[in-house]
């Protein structure tokens, strides 16, 4: 579904991504782990074309989306993104946050968009919050609204960049529960996370990045019980203890 081929990214002299190759099949859940600064966010941002790569290509459904003239607006509708810091529109209530993009881009009536938004809010456990302003919600609730907002575009793939890292520990579980449910429903997901239990239990494949490279990738069982690369071992020893 997504294929990243020989991708590189520089910021000035700094090489942040180096020859990244990655394939994601439909329905697959991939977790990306690795130390801070290893290039995880930059990789997700390149996949979503929020950041333009310095070299290499990205294919979606067989089409090279890095080519001139590719329909990035449509691509971003199909490949949605959820950020660490939620990025909700602060002046709009929860329902409007979810409806805004679909109303502009989908050929649906306001009524249909609203119905769908309420359905999605129910799905993330926030049916009673449609009129609330984002600032009155907890971080965990805001992140679940952000997930509902991403789902409102009916994406084929969802990218998550450390969706629980900005949350108080007691709020992490509710967000992971929603993500687990999406995974069970067959959503194709790429998740950058430090939640090793989630990675171990939910994802199909773990990718370990360090210093701009994909150092190792394998099934969670293999990565967590028998990592091959010394850098993976060191990282996991530090994070899992
Ligand atoms: P991670 O998400 O794994 O912590 P990032 O992808 O955010 O890593 O960053 C990788 C490296 O790229 C870091 O050294 C970071 O400082 C650098 N970097 C990220 N974004 C920019 C930018 N817009 N300009 C310059 N350097 C950047
Ligand atoms: Mg990051």
């Amino acid at each position: 579904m997504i294929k990243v081929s020989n991708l590189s990214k520089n910021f000035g002299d700094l090489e942040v991504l180096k020859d990244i190759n990655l394939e994601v099949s439909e329905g697959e859940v991939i977790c990306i782990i690795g130390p801070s600064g290893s290039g995880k966010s930059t990789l997700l941002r390149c996949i979503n074309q929020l950041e333009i790569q310095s070299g290499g290509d990205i294919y979606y459904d067989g089409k090279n989306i890095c080519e001139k003239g590719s329909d990035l607006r449509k691509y971003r509708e199909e490949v949605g993104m959820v950020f660490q810091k939620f990025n909700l529109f602060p002046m709009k209530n929860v329902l409007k946050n979810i409806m805004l993009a679909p109303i502009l881009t989908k050929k649906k009536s306001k009524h249909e968009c609203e119905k769908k938004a309420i359905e999605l809010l129910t799905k993330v456990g926030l049916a009673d919050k449609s009129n609330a302003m984002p600032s009155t919600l907890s971080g965990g609730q805001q992140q679940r609204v952000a997930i509902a907002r991403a789902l409102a575009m009916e994406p084929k793939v969802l990218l998550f960049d450390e969706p629980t890292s900005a949350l108080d520990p007691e709020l992490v579980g509710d967000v992971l529960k929603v993500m687990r449910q999406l995974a069970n429903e067959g959503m194709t997901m790429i998740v950058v996370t430090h939640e090793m239990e989630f990675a171990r239990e939910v994802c199909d494949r773990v990718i370990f990045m360090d210093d701009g490279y994909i150092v190792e990738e394998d099934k969670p069982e293999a990565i967590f019980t028998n990592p091959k690369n010394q850098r993976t071992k060191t990282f996991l020893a530090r994070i899992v203890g």
Side-chain angles (χ1 to χ4, degrees), residues 31-38 40 84 161-165 176 191-199 224 235 239-240:
C31 280
I32 302 180
I33 62 173
S36 178
S38 56
K40 306 180 299 295
Q84 184 175 350
D161 192 2
E162 299 199 32
T164 60
S165 294
L176 292 181
V191 185
V192 174
T193 188
H194 294 293
E195 295 292 333
M196 295 300 147
E197 201 181 300
F198 177 86
F224 289 117
F235 174 76
I239 204 159
V240 183

PDB file of all heavy atoms in Angstrom, residues 31-38 40 84 161-165 176 191-199 224 235 239-240:
ATOM      1  N   CYS A  31       4.912  -0.464  14.065  1.00  0.00           N
ATOM      2  CA  CYS A  31       5.387   0.472  15.083  1.00  0.00           C
ATOM      3  C   CYS A  31       6.825   0.850  14.776  1.00  0.00           C
ATOM      4  O   CYS A  31       7.638  -0.009  14.429  1.00  0.00           O
ATOM      5  CB  CYS A  31       5.312  -0.145  16.481  1.00  0.00           C
ATOM      6  SG  CYS A  31       3.645  -0.085  17.154  1.00  0.00           S
ATOM      7  N   ILE A  32       7.109   2.141  14.897  1.00  0.00           N
ATOM      8  CA  ILE A  32       8.481   2.621  14.736  1.00  0.00           C
ATOM      9  C   ILE A  32       8.974   3.055  16.107  1.00  0.00           C
ATOM     10  O   ILE A  32       8.334   3.881  16.768  1.00  0.00           O
ATOM     11  CB  ILE A  32       8.559   3.796  13.741  1.00  0.00           C
ATOM     12  CG1 ILE A  32       7.994   3.382  12.378  1.00  0.00           C
ATOM     13  CG2 ILE A  32       9.997   4.287  13.613  1.00  0.00           C
ATOM     14  CD1 ILE A  32       8.032   4.484  11.328  1.00  0.00           C
ATOM     15  N   ILE A  33      10.068   2.453  16.540  1.00  0.00           N
ATOM     16  CA  ILE A  33      10.668   2.831  17.814  1.00  0.00           C
ATOM     17  C   ILE A  33      12.095   3.311  17.565  1.00  0.00           C
ATOM     18  O   ILE A  33      12.654   3.083  16.487  1.00  0.00           O
ATOM     19  CB  ILE A  33      10.673   1.640  18.811  1.00  0.00           C
ATOM     20  CG1 ILE A  33      11.509   0.475  18.275  1.00  0.00           C
ATOM     21  CG2 ILE A  33       9.246   1.146  19.077  1.00  0.00           C
ATOM     22  CD1 ILE A  33      11.698  -0.660  19.295  1.00  0.00           C
ATOM     23  N   GLY A  34      12.664   3.953  18.563  1.00  0.00           N
ATOM     24  CA  GLY A  34      14.047   4.407  18.425  1.00  0.00           C
ATOM     25  C   GLY A  34      14.290   5.647  19.258  1.00  0.00           C
ATOM     26  O   GLY A  34      13.337   6.312  19.663  1.00  0.00           O
ATOM     27  N   PRO A  35      15.562   5.963  19.507  1.00  0.00           N
ATOM     28  CA  PRO A  35      15.875   7.100  20.372  1.00  0.00           C
ATOM     29  C   PRO A  35      15.419   8.426  19.784  1.00  0.00           C
ATOM     30  O   PRO A  35      15.198   8.538  18.571  1.00  0.00           O
ATOM     31  CB  PRO A  35      17.406   7.058  20.502  1.00  0.00           C
ATOM     32  CG  PRO A  35      17.894   6.027  19.550  1.00  0.00           C
ATOM     33  CD  PRO A  35      16.740   5.224  19.068  1.00  0.00           C
ATOM     34  N   SER A  36      15.298   9.397  20.651  1.00  0.00           N
ATOM     35  CA  SER A  36      14.960  10.754  20.243  1.00  0.00           C
ATOM     36  C   SER A  36      16.006  11.266  19.249  1.00  0.00           C
ATOM     37  O   SER A  36      17.201  11.051  19.435  1.00  0.00           O
ATOM     38  CB  SER A  36      14.938  11.619  21.509  1.00  0.00           C
ATOM     39  OG  SER A  36      14.659  12.935  21.164  1.00  0.00           O
ATOM     40  N   GLY A  37      15.538  11.897  18.188  1.00  0.00           N
ATOM     41  CA  GLY A  37      16.455  12.447  17.184  1.00  0.00           C
ATOM     42  C   GLY A  37      16.864  11.451  16.115  1.00  0.00           C
ATOM     43  O   GLY A  37      17.660  11.766  15.234  1.00  0.00           O
ATOM     44  N   SER A  38      16.294  10.238  16.147  1.00  0.00           N
ATOM     45  CA  SER A  38      16.722   9.230  15.170  1.00  0.00           C
ATOM     46  C   SER A  38      16.052   9.400  13.803  1.00  0.00           C
ATOM     47  O   SER A  38      16.418   8.724  12.856  1.00  0.00           O
ATOM     48  CB  SER A  38      16.468   7.818  15.722  1.00  0.00           C
ATOM     49  OG  SER A  38      15.118   7.637  16.087  1.00  0.00           O
ATOM     50  N   LYS A  40      12.423   9.559  13.355  1.00  0.00           N
ATOM     51  CA  LYS A  40      11.099   8.937  13.275  1.00  0.00           C
ATOM     52  C   LYS A  40      10.032   9.920  12.794  1.00  0.00           C
ATOM     53  O   LYS A  40       9.255   9.612  11.880  1.00  0.00           O
ATOM     54  CB  LYS A  40      10.696   8.366  14.662  1.00  0.00           C
ATOM     55  CG  LYS A  40      11.726   7.410  15.259  1.00  0.00           C
ATOM     56  CD  LYS A  40      11.293   6.873  16.611  1.00  0.00           C
ATOM     57  CE  LYS A  40      11.096   7.921  17.698  1.00  0.00           C
ATOM     58  NZ  LYS A  40      12.320   8.642  18.109  1.00  0.00           N
ATOM     59  N   GLN A  84       1.525  14.353  18.089  1.00  0.00           N
ATOM     60  CA  GLN A  84       1.756  14.292  19.539  1.00  0.00           C
ATOM     61  C   GLN A  84       0.937  15.352  20.272  1.00  0.00           C
ATOM     62  O   GLN A  84       0.360  15.095  21.311  1.00  0.00           O
ATOM     63  CB  GLN A  84       3.247  14.497  19.782  1.00  0.00           C
ATOM     64  CG  GLN A  84       3.662  14.365  21.213  1.00  0.00           C
ATOM     65  CD  GLN A  84       5.185  14.448  21.364  1.00  0.00           C
ATOM     66  OE1 GLN A  84       5.933  14.424  20.374  1.00  0.00           O
ATOM     67  NE2 GLN A  84       5.634  14.522  22.580  1.00  0.00           N
ATOM     68  N   ASP A 161       2.176  10.015  15.298  1.00  0.00           N
ATOM     69  CA  ASP A 161       3.497  10.411  15.791  1.00  0.00           C
ATOM     70  C   ASP A 161       3.454  10.592  17.312  1.00  0.00           C
ATOM     71  O   ASP A 161       3.030  11.632  17.801  1.00  0.00           O
ATOM     72  CB  ASP A 161       3.971  11.697  15.117  1.00  0.00           C
ATOM     73  CG  ASP A 161       5.450  11.953  15.402  1.00  0.00           C
ATOM     74  OD1 ASP A 161       6.089  11.129  16.083  1.00  0.00           O
ATOM     75  OD2 ASP A 161       5.960  12.989  14.943  1.00  0.00           O
ATOM     76  N   GLU A 162       3.885   9.585  18.015  1.00  0.00           N
ATOM     77  CA  GLU A 162       3.882   9.595  19.489  1.00  0.00           C
ATOM     78  C   GLU A 162       2.587  10.159  20.063  1.00  0.00           C
ATOM     79  O   GLU A 162       2.590  11.141  20.803  1.00  0.00           O
ATOM     80  CB  GLU A 162       5.082  10.393  20.008  1.00  0.00           C
ATOM     81  CG  GLU A 162       6.410   9.791  19.579  1.00  0.00           C
ATOM     82  CD  GLU A 162       7.579  10.286  20.437  1.00  0.00           C
ATOM     83  OE1 GLU A 162       7.365  10.561  21.619  1.00  0.00           O
ATOM     84  OE2 GLU A 162       8.688  10.384  19.903  1.00  0.00           O
ATOM     85  N   PRO A 163       1.467   9.517  19.746  1.00  0.00           N
ATOM     86  CA  PRO A 163       0.162  10.074  20.114  1.00  0.00           C
ATOM     87  C   PRO A 163      -0.095  10.135  21.613  1.00  0.00           C
ATOM     88  O   PRO A 163      -0.985  10.861  22.038  1.00  0.00           O
ATOM     89  CB  PRO A 163      -0.833   9.113  19.442  1.00  0.00           C
ATOM     90  CG  PRO A 163      -0.075   7.833  19.299  1.00  0.00           C
ATOM     91  CD  PRO A 163       1.340   8.240  19.018  1.00  0.00           C
ATOM     92  N   THR A 164       0.688   9.407  22.403  1.00  0.00           N
ATOM     93  CA  THR A 164       0.430   9.425  23.851  1.00  0.00           C
ATOM     94  C   THR A 164       1.565  10.075  24.642  1.00  0.00           C
ATOM     95  O   THR A 164       1.521  10.115  25.866  1.00  0.00           O
ATOM     96  CB  THR A 164       0.202   7.993  24.386  1.00  0.00           C
ATOM     97  OG1 THR A 164       1.380   7.207  24.135  1.00  0.00           O
ATOM     98  CG2 THR A 164      -0.984   7.329  23.722  1.00  0.00           C
ATOM     99  N   SER A 165       2.563  10.606  23.934  1.00  0.00           N
ATOM    100  CA  SER A 165       3.743  11.120  24.654  1.00  0.00           C
ATOM    101  C   SER A 165       3.485  12.409  25.416  1.00  0.00           C
ATOM    102  O   SER A 165       4.217  12.740  26.339  1.00  0.00           O
ATOM    103  CB  SER A 165       4.904  11.336  23.688  1.00  0.00           C
ATOM    104  OG  SER A 165       5.327  10.102  23.186  1.00  0.00           O
ATOM    105  N   LEU A 176      -4.816   4.531  23.752  1.00  0.00           N
ATOM    106  CA  LEU A 176      -4.325   3.257  23.199  1.00  0.00           C
ATOM    107  C   LEU A 176      -5.470   2.302  22.900  1.00  0.00           C
ATOM    108  O   LEU A 176      -5.433   1.555  21.922  1.00  0.00           O
ATOM    109  CB  LEU A 176      -3.324   2.606  24.154  1.00  0.00           C
ATOM    110  CG  LEU A 176      -1.994   3.332  24.327  1.00  0.00           C
ATOM    111  CD1 LEU A 176      -1.093   2.552  25.274  1.00  0.00           C
ATOM    112  CD2 LEU A 176      -1.284   3.547  22.986  1.00  0.00           C
ATOM    113  N   VAL A 191       2.776   3.682  13.464  1.00  0.00           N
ATOM    114  CA  VAL A 191       2.712   4.315  14.779  1.00  0.00           C
ATOM    115  C   VAL A 191       4.115   4.502  15.340  1.00  0.00           C
ATOM    116  O   VAL A 191       4.816   3.522  15.615  1.00  0.00           O
ATOM    117  CB  VAL A 191       1.897   3.442  15.760  1.00  0.00           C
ATOM    118  CG1 VAL A 191       1.730   4.148  17.096  1.00  0.00           C
ATOM    119  CG2 VAL A 191       0.527   3.073  15.182  1.00  0.00           C
ATOM    120  N   VAL A 192       4.530   5.752  15.503  1.00  0.00           N
ATOM    121  CA  VAL A 192       5.764   6.022  16.241  1.00  0.00           C
ATOM    122  C   VAL A 192       5.395   6.059  17.711  1.00  0.00           C
ATOM    123  O   VAL A 192       4.497   6.810  18.104  1.00  0.00           O
ATOM    124  CB  VAL A 192       6.385   7.374  15.823  1.00  0.00           C
ATOM    125  CG1 VAL A 192       7.580   7.709  16.717  1.00  0.00           C
ATOM    126  CG2 VAL A 192       6.799   7.347  14.361  1.00  0.00           C
ATOM    127  N   THR A 193       6.034   5.238  18.518  1.00  0.00           N
ATOM    128  CA  THR A 193       5.607   5.156  19.918  1.00  0.00           C
ATOM    129  C   THR A 193       6.727   4.688  20.837  1.00  0.00           C
ATOM    130  O   THR A 193       7.677   4.038  20.404  1.00  0.00           O
ATOM    131  CB  THR A 193       4.391   4.203  20.066  1.00  0.00           C
ATOM    132  OG1 THR A 193       3.898   4.292  21.398  1.00  0.00           O
ATOM    133  CG2 THR A 193       4.746   2.758  19.758  1.00  0.00           C
ATOM    134  N   HIS A 194       6.583   5.064  22.106  1.00  0.00           N
ATOM    135  CA  HIS A 194       7.442   4.509  23.154  1.00  0.00           C
ATOM    136  C   HIS A 194       6.662   3.505  23.998  1.00  0.00           C
ATOM    137  O   HIS A 194       7.174   3.030  25.005  1.00  0.00           O
ATOM    138  CB  HIS A 194       7.998   5.622  24.038  1.00  0.00           C
ATOM    139  CG  HIS A 194       8.928   6.534  23.311  1.00  0.00           C
ATOM    140  ND1 HIS A 194      10.154   6.115  22.840  1.00  0.00           N
ATOM    141  CD2 HIS A 194       8.816   7.823  22.948  1.00  0.00           C
ATOM    142  CE1 HIS A 194      10.749   7.118  22.222  1.00  0.00           C
ATOM    143  NE2 HIS A 194       9.958   8.171  22.263  1.00  0.00           N
ATOM    144  N   GLU A 195       5.428   3.236  23.591  1.00  0.00           N
ATOM    145  CA  GLU A 195       4.596   2.282  24.342  1.00  0.00           C
ATOM    146  C   GLU A 195       4.936   0.872  23.883  1.00  0.00           C
ATOM    147  O   GLU A 195       4.350   0.338  22.945  1.00  0.00           O
ATOM    148  CB  GLU A 195       3.107   2.571  24.103  1.00  0.00           C
ATOM    149  CG  GLU A 195       2.625   3.897  24.638  1.00  0.00           C
ATOM    150  CD  GLU A 195       2.639   3.951  26.160  1.00  0.00           C
ATOM    151  OE1 GLU A 195       2.516   2.877  26.799  1.00  0.00           O
ATOM    152  OE2 GLU A 195       2.783   5.057  26.704  1.00  0.00           O
ATOM    153  N   MET A 196       5.886   0.261  24.577  1.00  0.00           N
ATOM    154  CA  MET A 196       6.396  -1.042  24.127  1.00  0.00           C
ATOM    155  C   MET A 196       5.353  -2.150  24.258  1.00  0.00           C
ATOM    156  O   MET A 196       5.334  -3.080  23.465  1.00  0.00           O
ATOM    157  CB  MET A 196       7.660  -1.405  24.909  1.00  0.00           C
ATOM    158  CG  MET A 196       8.800  -0.453  24.621  1.00  0.00           C
ATOM    159  SD  MET A 196       9.262  -0.449  22.874  1.00  0.00           S
ATOM    160  CE  MET A 196       9.747   1.248  22.673  1.00  0.00           C
ATOM    161  N   GLU A 197       4.488  -2.031  25.261  1.00  0.00           N
ATOM    162  CA  GLU A 197       3.457  -3.051  25.423  1.00  0.00           C
ATOM    163  C   GLU A 197       2.488  -3.020  24.233  1.00  0.00           C
ATOM    164  O   GLU A 197       2.092  -4.058  23.701  1.00  0.00           O
ATOM    165  CB  GLU A 197       2.709  -2.791  26.728  1.00  0.00           C
ATOM    166  CG  GLU A 197       1.983  -4.005  27.255  1.00  0.00           C
ATOM    167  CD  GLU A 197       1.234  -3.668  28.537  1.00  0.00           C
ATOM    168  OE1 GLU A 197       1.891  -3.249  29.512  1.00  0.00           O
ATOM    169  OE2 GLU A 197      -0.003  -3.788  28.538  1.00  0.00           O
ATOM    170  N   PHE A 198       2.128  -1.788  23.824  1.00  0.00           N
ATOM    171  CA  PHE A 198       1.274  -1.636  22.650  1.00  0.00           C
ATOM    172  C   PHE A 198       1.974  -2.230  21.423  1.00  0.00           C
ATOM    173  O   PHE A 198       1.376  -3.002  20.655  1.00  0.00           O
ATOM    174  CB  PHE A 198       0.949  -0.147  22.424  1.00  0.00           C
ATOM    175  CG  PHE A 198       0.137   0.128  21.192  1.00  0.00           C
ATOM    176  CD1 PHE A 198      -1.255   0.052  21.236  1.00  0.00           C
ATOM    177  CD2 PHE A 198       0.745   0.453  19.992  1.00  0.00           C
ATOM    178  CE1 PHE A 198      -2.017   0.305  20.099  1.00  0.00           C
ATOM    179  CE2 PHE A 198      -0.011   0.698  18.849  1.00  0.00           C
ATOM    180  CZ  PHE A 198      -1.393   0.632  18.913  1.00  0.00           C
ATOM    181  N   ALA A 199       3.227  -1.888  21.239  1.00  0.00           N
ATOM    182  CA  ALA A 199       3.993  -2.395  20.091  1.00  0.00           C
ATOM    183  C   ALA A 199       4.012  -3.929  20.095  1.00  0.00           C
ATOM    184  O   ALA A 199       3.788  -4.576  19.076  1.00  0.00           O
ATOM    185  CB  ALA A 199       5.419  -1.842  20.119  1.00  0.00           C
ATOM    186  N   PHE A 224      11.627  -7.995  20.487  1.00  0.00           N
ATOM    187  CA  PHE A 224      11.646  -7.797  21.937  1.00  0.00           C
ATOM    188  C   PHE A 224      12.340  -8.926  22.694  1.00  0.00           C
ATOM    189  O   PHE A 224      12.866  -8.714  23.770  1.00  0.00           O
ATOM    190  CB  PHE A 224      10.223  -7.582  22.477  1.00  0.00           C
ATOM    191  CG  PHE A 224       9.650  -6.249  22.078  1.00  0.00           C
ATOM    192  CD1 PHE A 224       8.523  -6.158  21.285  1.00  0.00           C
ATOM    193  CD2 PHE A 224      10.269  -5.072  22.489  1.00  0.00           C
ATOM    194  CE1 PHE A 224       8.008  -4.925  20.900  1.00  0.00           C
ATOM    195  CE2 PHE A 224       9.765  -3.830  22.121  1.00  0.00           C
ATOM    196  CZ  PHE A 224       8.628  -3.759  21.313  1.00  0.00           C
ATOM    197  N   PHE A 235      19.145  -0.018  23.139  1.00  0.00           N
ATOM    198  CA  PHE A 235      17.952   0.824  23.265  1.00  0.00           C
ATOM    199  C   PHE A 235      16.886   0.125  24.112  1.00  0.00           C
ATOM    200  O   PHE A 235      16.330   0.712  25.036  1.00  0.00           O
ATOM    201  CB  PHE A 235      17.395   1.152  21.878  1.00  0.00           C
ATOM    202  CG  PHE A 235      16.086   1.897  21.912  1.00  0.00           C
ATOM    203  CD1 PHE A 235      16.048   3.254  22.230  1.00  0.00           C
ATOM    204  CD2 PHE A 235      14.884   1.244  21.651  1.00  0.00           C
ATOM    205  CE1 PHE A 235      14.837   3.938  22.277  1.00  0.00           C
ATOM    206  CE2 PHE A 235      13.675   1.917  21.697  1.00  0.00           C
ATOM    207  CZ  PHE A 235      13.656   3.270  21.999  1.00  0.00           C
ATOM    208  N   ILE A 239      15.082   1.131  27.661  1.00  0.00           N
ATOM    209  CA  ILE A 239      13.660   1.539  27.744  1.00  0.00           C
ATOM    210  C   ILE A 239      12.809   0.506  28.484  1.00  0.00           C
ATOM    211  O   ILE A 239      11.919   0.855  29.237  1.00  0.00           O
ATOM    212  CB  ILE A 239      13.107   1.851  26.328  1.00  0.00           C
ATOM    213  CG1 ILE A 239      11.920   2.798  26.451  1.00  0.00           C
ATOM    214  CG2 ILE A 239      12.751   0.624  25.550  1.00  0.00           C
ATOM    215  CD1 ILE A 239      11.640   3.549  25.191  1.00  0.00           C
ATOM    216  N   VAL A 240      13.085  -0.768  28.294  1.00  0.00           N
ATOM    217  CA  VAL A 240      12.267  -1.797  28.940  1.00  0.00           C
ATOM    218  C   VAL A 240      12.847  -2.153  30.314  1.00  0.00           C
ATOM    219  O   VAL A 240      12.123  -2.466  31.249  1.00  0.00           O
ATOM    220  CB  VAL A 240      12.164  -3.072  28.058  1.00  0.00           C
ATOM    221  CG1 VAL A 240      11.262  -4.100  28.713  1.00  0.00           C
ATOM    222  CG2 VAL A 240      11.634  -2.715  26.674  1.00  0.00           C
TER     223      VAL A 240
END
